[in-house]
Amino acid sequence: MAGAGMAIAVLTSGGDAQGMNAAVRAVTRMGIYVGAKVFLIYEGYEGLVEGGDNIKQANWLSVSNIIQLGGTVIGSARCKAFTTRAGRLRAARNLVEHGITNLCVIGGDGSLTGADIFRSEWGGLLDELVRDGQISEEVARENCRLNIVGLVGSIDNDFCGTDMTIGTDSALHRIMEVIDAITTTAQSHQRTFVLEVMGRHCGYLALVSGLASGADWLFIPESPPEDGWEDLMCERLGETRSRGSRLNIIIIAEGAIDRSGKPISSNYVKDLVVQRLGFDTRVTVLGHVQRGGTPSAFDRVLSSKMGMEAVMALLEATPDTPACVVSLSGNQSVRLPLMECVQVTKDVQKAMDEKRFEEAIQLRGRSFENNWNIYKLLAHQKPAQEKSPFSLAILNVGAPAAGMNAAVRSAVRIGICQGHTVYVVSDGFEGLSKGQIREVGWHDVAGWLGRGGSMLGTKRTLPKTCMEKIVENVRKFNIQGLLVIGGFEAYEGVLQLVEARGQYEELCIIMCVIPATISNNVPGTDFSLGSDTAVNAAMESCDRIKQSASGTKRRVFIVETMGGYCGYLSTVTGIAVGADAAYVYEDPFTIHDLKANVEHLTDKMKTDIQRGLVLRNEKCHEHYTTEFLYNLYSSEGKGIFDCRINVLGHLQQGGAPTPFDRNYGTKLGVKAVLWMSEKLQEVYRKGRVFANSGDSACVIGLRKKVVAFSPVTELKKVTDFEHRLPQEQWWLNLRLMLKMLANYQISLTEYISGTMEHVTRRTLSIEKGF
């Protein structure tokens, strides 16, 4: 009970963002968990100034069943009174009345700056309250210090220093749903659509949705188009139509401007296309749709993680600690000094006002700059400077995963830009052995970005079953580079090809694996392509399953997820839906654990809560099957709750890829081919390629923040081949969060706190991965 005697208040302020409820839930539960009193402040700063019924103490059940709701259940409002000293004086009095000296603010940079001013004035405000006789000197002494921690909730992702702000990923989900819907109608009528997305000062949403949809043209405030852009844009649009495309999509951020700072409106762009090209053109303004709807899995997990870290930051605060923002860096929580972040965020705006646009893009951070450069590379075909002597072949291996097509598309296009001959192979290694190989051009992969599954077709066959024939086709088509996009079989297959190099000289070529599997079980990367889409699919199903129990008698659902022996899917889905337990192979459990879980659920069902959710990874235990768990829970819950089974099955593999997977696939495709081109140059001697060093066959992956290439021969040492898993997996430390938020008593000593880092121009320019 490290927080005994503490009182923490949480409020949401400014524009709402999906995921705020998950953050409120995590702060409340973690606060109660450490023994503190937790208060919810309704209607943002307005409720803080008004006091009274707007400040209520919360219990564990106050935040039950809100994780899947959009917006904020405790309300948010813009508040003029708090900008005045008199308003802040009333707010201070309301906090002191409840003994609250720890404040967690979830909002944008304005809300957080307000909180910092409040904190700096705190001593003076208390002195004034003592002078006016509103509080005693003793009370002032007891509450002499106010600790502030911020969580950034903003769909624009416009706060410098954080990788992602709460709500951004969900807003991208909304935008991509609309673009997918518009694409089908535009193709039917051969239309041009001008789509206006939010982002008055920050083009992040426009940029990422443009990259994830392959838009023809993009307007963002950070990089206004060159003068005379009207002619160039119309020329480009006409060109894509003449090549057989039936639609054009133009994405424009609401804050788009030209070089002289004059706004570019969506109607101006529409009129331009109609007058110059005569295309049937429509404008769609997305507006507040982007803020609405249920939060994505990423936003729920991010908010839960940040909410827990915020409570730890308040617990560990000392008089010298600056007000901090809890942020995400790679997949780790970090704390950043609030005012450093606010300062850099202001610097971006200043650079844009002074027309230093290159600098504005750099200040947004490396991942923004990366997105912009990759978008420019892939949006339009640029003729290669010269034909290269190399040929690459691209294939999909293993089960289908969302995002595979995005990776194939960007790899094909970047290969063509480099002047290589690019082949695609149907049906994986089996197709390679049967010669199902064809050369492709730039336009052959148009429209592939938003397609789920694998357009090339994929099989699980491994090379050792048909090695001779594979070698024959590699020789016949003169393939010098092999890009394999797939799951554990892709990694294992490339390892087999590398190990056969001694026997076949033809296999001394450059090879790269892009990990793509919903199980997220490929060594060498923290995230596999397709796992984000799978988690979202499983989460949506669980949301519906939970909803089906409302209004019926008390019910517990046992849901089986895919993933082989890897428990990533069930753990992350479990956090996103607020599950009571998630059984996985990596976290061994015994009959005693099952007994404790059943008792825990039985106690929970005696309260006002009507439903429970238990997830089970398909191979978590050979004897404790889904059927066994169903029978156990059914018999133990007799008279208290009844049970149902749901097996999610292949539902988790399907569907359109999420914005993250489209983007991630696009970037991995680009980075993999650029790396292969570089390696091919290095090993090209006297007109031929000969590569037999370990680093000529790698897995590309994201590790924390950095894109890394790991040789398959090195990864072999850290792989459990029997269970098809990496020996160490980063996400296992998320299990603690799942258990704590489900109210299991666990020692805080296992919790790893985030560290305090600083935000400067230098840290922003460090490679941020994605």
Side-chain angles (χ1 to χ4, degrees):
M1 305 295 275
M6 264 177 82
I8 298 172
V10 56
L11 64 89
T12 52
S13 169
D16 64 319
Q18 307 97 320
M20 280 183 164
N21 288 326
V24 169
R25 170 181 178 267
V27 172
T28 306
R29 292 198 163 176
M30 189 66 175
I32 293 171
Y33 200 91
V34 299
K37 278 184 184 170
V38 180
F39 292 86
L40 301 177
I41 298 177
Y42 291 81
E43 309 310 333
Y45 284 124
E46 200 169 283
L48 188 59
V49 174
E50 295 294 323
D53 281 348
N54 291 313
I55 303 178
K56 291 182 185 158
Q57 192 172 343
N59 60 27
W60 195 268
L61 301 184
S62 306
V63 289
S64 179
N65 211 18
I66 65 168
I67 195 167
Q68 73 278 14
L69 303 177
T72 161
V73 295
I74 58 175
S76 177
R78 312 244 179 237
C79 177
K80 278 226 166 72
F82 193 74
T83 58
T84 66
R85 188 174 166 94
R88 293 194 289 275
L89 190 68
R90 284 167 65 191
R93 183 163 176 221
N94 290 329
L95 287 184
V96 170
E97 259 177 28
H98 292 90
I100 299 166
T101 52
N102 298 281
L103 192 58
C104 175
V105 178
I106 305 165
D109 58 348
S111 308
L112 300 181
T113 309
D116 194 61
I117 293 169
F118 190 39
R119 189 189 85 118
S120 63
E121 291 180 350
W122 184 254
L125 293 170
L126 291 195
D127 292 344
E128 199 173 319
L129 289 172
V130 172
R131 272 204 310 277
D132 295 350
Q134 295 195 39
I135 60 171
S136 66
E137 282 187 11
E138 190 187 340
V139 169
R141 263 198 311 279
E142 282 168 10
N143 300 290
C144 62
R145 194 176 93 237
L146 179 69
N147 297 318
I148 294 273
V149 65
L151 302 183
V152 190
S154 156
I155 65 167
D156 292 336
N157 202 26
D158 55 356
F159 196 74
C160 291
T162 59
D163 284 7
M164 279 293 250
T165 57
I166 295 170
T168 306
D169 188 62
S170 303
L172 285 170
H173 275 251
R174 293 299 92 76
I175 296 170
M176 294 318 302
E177 284 161 17
V178 172
I179 291 177
D180 288 350
I182 276 179
T183 303
T184 53
T185 171
Q187 273 179 325
S188 309
H189 294 277
Q190 297 203 35
R191 277 199 180 129
T192 296
F193 269 92
V194 180
L195 211 73
E196 185 183 305
V197 300
M198 278 185 167
R200 203 166 312 141
H201 305 296
C202 177
Y204 186 86
L205 289 178
L207 174 55
V208 175
S209 47
L211 188 58
S213 64
D216 296 278
W217 196 272
L218 185 57
F219 294 95
I220 58 172
E222 289 85 350
S223 182
E226 297 295 337
D227 294 335
W229 59 269
E230 290 93 339
D231 301 336
L232 186 59
M233 181 183 81
C234 292
E235 192 185 311
R236 287 262 174 91
L237 297 179
E239 208 178 291
T240 50
R241 281 293 174 95
S242 64
R243 292 214 180 106
S245 166
R246 292 179 61 87
L247 82 157
N248 301 108
I249 288 191
I250 299 165
I251 293 180
I252 180 165
E254 59 181 339
I257 47 173
D258 64 15
R259 287 268 152 189
S260 59
K262 204 171 99 228
I264 298 174
S265 73
S266 40
N267 283 319
Y268 176 68
V269 175
K270 175 203 151 178
D271 295 342
L272 196 67
V273 177
V274 172
Q275 285 158 14
R276 301 244 185 131
L277 298 167
F279 290 171
D280 185 1
T281 307
R282 299 281 190 276
V283 171
T284 301
V285 179
L286 289 188
H288 283 71
V289 167
Q290 296 157 85
R291 285 193 191 282
T294 181
S296 65
F298 178 85
D299 271 330
R300 297 183 196 190
V301 176
L302 170 77
S303 307
S304 302
K305 209 183 214 168
M306 283 158 72
M308 289 180 72
E309 184 61 38
V311 173
M312 296 307 287
L314 289 171
L315 266 186
E316 293 164 12
T318 66
D320 308 324
T321 320
C324 74
V325 174
V326 173
S327 159
L328 179 75
S329 170
N331 48 36
Q332 309 294 318
S333 305
V334 293
R335 302 170 191 178
L336 307 168
L338 170 63
M339 291 326 285
E340 282 182 17
C341 298
V342 170
Q343 190 49 52
V344 181
T345 307
K346 284 183 176 156
D347 289 348
V348 179
Q349 194 52 49
K350 191 164 177 242
M352 282 159 63
D353 293 343
E354 293 171 6
K355 303 191 175 41
R356 301 194 311 274
F357 297 113
E358 294 290 312
E359 194 182 333
I361 284 191
Q362 285 165 0
L363 285 170
R364 281 269 179 241
R366 261 314 266 281
S367 73
F368 191 94
E369 204 177 336
N370 264 342
N371 282 332
W372 183 231
N373 292 336
I374 289 178
Y375 171 76
K376 289 189 292 190
L377 259 179
L378 297 177
H380 299 283
Q381 185 168 3
K382 296 161 197 62
Q385 299 303 308
E386 53 190 49
K387 187 86 185 101
S388 94
F390 306 123
S391 307
L392 305 180
I394 302 171
L395 61 157
N396 292 161
V397 176
M404 278 181 163
N405 299 322
V408 173
R409 168 188 175 270
S410 67
V412 165
R413 290 192 165 181
I414 206 79
I416 291 169
C417 283
Q418 301 272 311
H420 308 322
T421 303
V422 183
Y423 296 109
V424 291
V425 182
S426 303
D427 299 339
F429 289 120
E430 192 177 303
L432 188 56
S433 72
K434 290 180 177 167
Q436 295 171 340
I437 302 167
R438 65 180 196 279
E439 191 179 339
V440 282
W442 184 273
H443 295 285
D444 294 330
V445 289
W448 281 31
L449 254 171
R451 306 286 288 269
S454 159
M455 302 283 283
L456 292 180
T458 170
K459 290 257 172 86
R460 290 180 184 269
T461 318
L462 286 169
K464 63 180 179 199
T465 56
C466 47
M467 194 66 86
E468 302 273 330
K469 287 183 172 164
I470 286 178
V471 171
E472 196 180 305
N473 280 317
V474 168
R475 183 171 54 242
K476 180 177 158 190
F477 285 88
N478 189 24
I479 293 167
Q480 293 115 333
L482 201 58
L483 178 62
V484 186
I485 303 165
F488 200 85
E489 289 91 354
Y491 156 67
E492 214 174 342
V494 167
L495 194 58
Q496 288 177 9
L497 294 177
V498 169
E499 287 171 346
R501 277 175 172 175
Q503 216 175 328
Y504 305 101
E505 200 183 306
E506 291 85 347
L507 296 177
C508 294
I509 56 176
I510 302 296
M511 297 184 236
C512 185
V513 177
I514 293 181
T517 163
I518 68 168
S519 308
N520 200 21
N521 63 337
V522 179
T525 184
D526 290 350
F527 295 102
S528 296
L529 200 51
S531 58
D532 184 62
T533 305
V535 168
N536 276 285
M539 174 194 85
E540 282 165 21
S541 304
C542 289
D543 281 350
R544 287 177 186 166
I545 289 167
K546 270 168 62 177
Q547 195 182 20
S548 75
S550 59
T552 57
K553 51 182 189 278
R554 295 184 161 82
R555 184 161 285 171
V556 170
F557 293 96
I558 300 189
V559 178
E560 183 186 302
T561 65
M562 287 169 99
Y565 283 101
C566 179
Y568 175 81
L569 243 183
S570 48
T571 298
V572 178
T573 306
I575 293 167
V577 296
D580 295 286
Y583 298 115
V584 300
Y585 165 76
E586 294 93 336
D587 191 356
F589 56 97
T590 63
I591 194 71
H592 299 298
D593 300 316
L594 290 176
K595 180 171 177 281
N597 289 351
V598 172
E599 285 167 0
H600 183 82
L601 258 180
T602 315
D603 289 344
K604 174 179 156 177
M605 289 294 188
K606 288 174 182 165
T607 65
D608 294 343
I609 296 182
Q610 304 269 322
R611 34 135 210 81
L613 191 65
V614 174
L615 297 180
R616 178 188 174 275
N617 168 255
E618 57 185 354
K619 290 189 175 171
C620 65
H621 200 288
E622 67 175 312
H623 301 303
Y624 300 147
T625 58
T626 305
E627 195 68 26
F628 175 90
L629 291 182
Y630 167 74
N631 291 331
L632 175 73
Y633 276 86
S634 294
S635 67
E636 292 298 312
K638 265 213 172 74
I640 300 164
F641 59 82
D642 65 354
C643 259
R644 292 285 186 276
I645 287 184
N646 286 84
V647 178
L648 297 182
H650 284 73
L651 181 105
Q652 296 155 87
Q653 273 178 1
T658 56
F660 176 84
D661 278 332
R662 296 180 198 207
N663 228 332
Y664 189 33
T666 300
K667 290 180 175 167
L668 289 181
V670 169
K671 303 235 173 193
V673 173
L674 292 177
W675 174 82
M676 290 171 80
S677 304
E678 209 174 286
K679 287 282 175 202
L680 284 165
Q681 293 291 347
E682 282 172 21
V683 296
Y684 188 57
R685 300 270 183 287
K686 296 182 184 161
R688 54 176 298 213
V689 165
F690 182 79
N692 65 352
S693 61
D695 66 355
S696 61
C698 287
V699 171
I700 178 177
L702 192 59
R703 290 189 156 178
K704 293 219 168 89
K705 282 189 188 183
V706 185
V707 180
F709 289 88
S710 319
V712 289
T713 46
E714 294 292 309
L715 292 174
K716 187 181 177 180
K717 301 167 193 163
V718 293
T719 306
D720 169 357
F721 283 96
E722 184 195 343
H723 299 103
R724 300 158 59 92
L725 290 172
Q727 286 168 6
E728 293 207 339
Q729 303 188 79
W730 69 270
W731 56 264
L732 281 168
N733 63 23
L734 294 177
R735 307 263 316 149
L736 190 70
M737 178 158 101
L738 176 82
K739 291 171 181 169
M740 283 181 167
L741 293 176
N743 209 8
Y744 286 91
Q745 293 310 312
I746 294 166
S747 158
L748 266 184
T749 51
E750 290 179 42
Y751 185 90
I752 302 161
S753 285
T755 50
M756 182 67 96
E757 291 185 4
H758 289 277
V759 185
T760 58
R761 294 192 166 203
R762 199 192 66 75
T763 61
L764 287 173
S765 66
I766 295 168
E767 174 67 77
K768 270 283 203 324
F770 299 142

